[in-house]
């Protein structure tokens, strides 16, 4: 039991160290708080919450791995090295890619909620709204037939 307690102590100490020492971790946590507040405001459903929570965990975990890689590289070598630069840049790139795709996922969910509550200014003039007007506008004058029998009009 004693070792189990210390295991979690080390884990939480690592999380606190990452938050205290890394400026980018503070930025990511602020983004998580703002995103969660807006998700609460727009009443995201359970699946949407699961998706954005997965994105939160992915970005923050990758940021912690990036910090661990940077600290390890700094510990191993003090001089400038091409391999050290590559290791740090690749780890930072992983965080950036996860962050970009998380923002895209969040904006996609948010776009759905803006359309759901009827805010049309967000989609005004884009291809989707023009396409919908074109298709729905043309369907309003069509007759629906099944094997030559008119069922109704759309």
């Amino acid at each position: 039991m004693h070792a189990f307690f210390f295991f979690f102590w080390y884990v939480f100490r690592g999380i606190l160290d990452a938050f205290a020492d890394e400026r980018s971790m503070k930025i990511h946590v602020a983004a998580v708080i703002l995103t969660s507040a807006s998700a609460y405001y727009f009443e995201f459903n359970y699946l949407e919450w699961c998706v954005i929570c997965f994105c939160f965990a992915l970005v923050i975990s990758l940021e912690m791995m990036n910090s661990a890689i940077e600290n390890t590289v700094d510990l191993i070598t003090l001089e400038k090295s091409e391999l050290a630069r590559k290791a740090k840049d690749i780890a930072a790139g992983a965080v950036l890619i996860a962050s970009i795709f998380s923002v895209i996922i969040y904006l996609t969910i948010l776009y759905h909620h803006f359309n759901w509550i009827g805010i049309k200014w967000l989609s005004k003039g884009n291809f989707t709204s023009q396409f919908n007007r074109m298709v729905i506008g043309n369907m309003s004058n069509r007759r629906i037939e099944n094997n030559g029998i008119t069922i109704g009009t759309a």
Side-chain angles (χ1 to χ4, degrees):
M1 184 69 173
H2 185 69
F4 184 72
F5 170 76
F6 277 107
F7 168 75
F8 280 104
W9 168 252
Y10 297 138
V11 169
F12 288 119
R13 188 174 65 180
I15 293 170
L16 290 175
D17 285 343
F19 182 73
D21 297 341
E22 299 297 328
R23 182 178 60 98
S24 56
M25 180 63 81
K26 293 174 186 170
I27 293 170
H28 289 302
V29 170
V32 165
I33 292 168
L34 291 173
T35 304
S36 297
S38 66
Y40 178 78
Y41 177 79
F42 287 109
E43 299 176 353
F44 280 21
N45 64 33
Y46 291 114
L47 180 62
E48 292 165 339
W49 272 107
C50 289
V51 169
I52 66 168
C53 284
F54 175 77
C55 290
F56 295 159
L58 179 68
V59 170
I60 289 179
S61 297
L62 283 173
E63 183 60 48
M64 292 174 73
M65 290 300 296
N66 179 39
S67 298
I69 289 170
E70 286 180 352
N71 289 333
T72 303
V73 167
D74 290 343
L75 179 68
I76 292 172
T77 181
L78 295 175
E79 67 241 9
K80 299 283 184 183
S81 167
E82 186 65 19
L83 289 176
R85 182 200 60 79
K86 281 184 180 180
K88 288 181 173 186
D89 290 350
I90 290 170
V95 176
L96 180 64
I97 289 172
S99 298
I100 289 171
F101 278 98
S102 294
V103 167
I104 291 170
I105 289 168
Y106 176 73
L107 291 177
T108 303
I109 294 170
L110 199 60
Y111 177 79
H112 165 74
H113 282 273
F114 275 126
N115 281 336
W116 184 259
I117 62 175
I119 298 176
K120 296 300 181 190
W121 57 265
L122 184 68
S123 61
K124 186 176 182 179
N126 69 12
F127 175 77
T128 306
S129 61
Q130 291 173 358
F131 180 76
N132 288 340
R133 281 193 299 266
M134 180 181 69
V135 171
I136 292 170
N138 289 339
M139 289 181 65
S140 62
N141 297 328
R142 288 191 177 171
R143 294 172 22 153
I144 302 173
E145 294 184 7
N146 186 7
N147 293 329
I149 300 171
T150 300
I151 300 171
T153 58

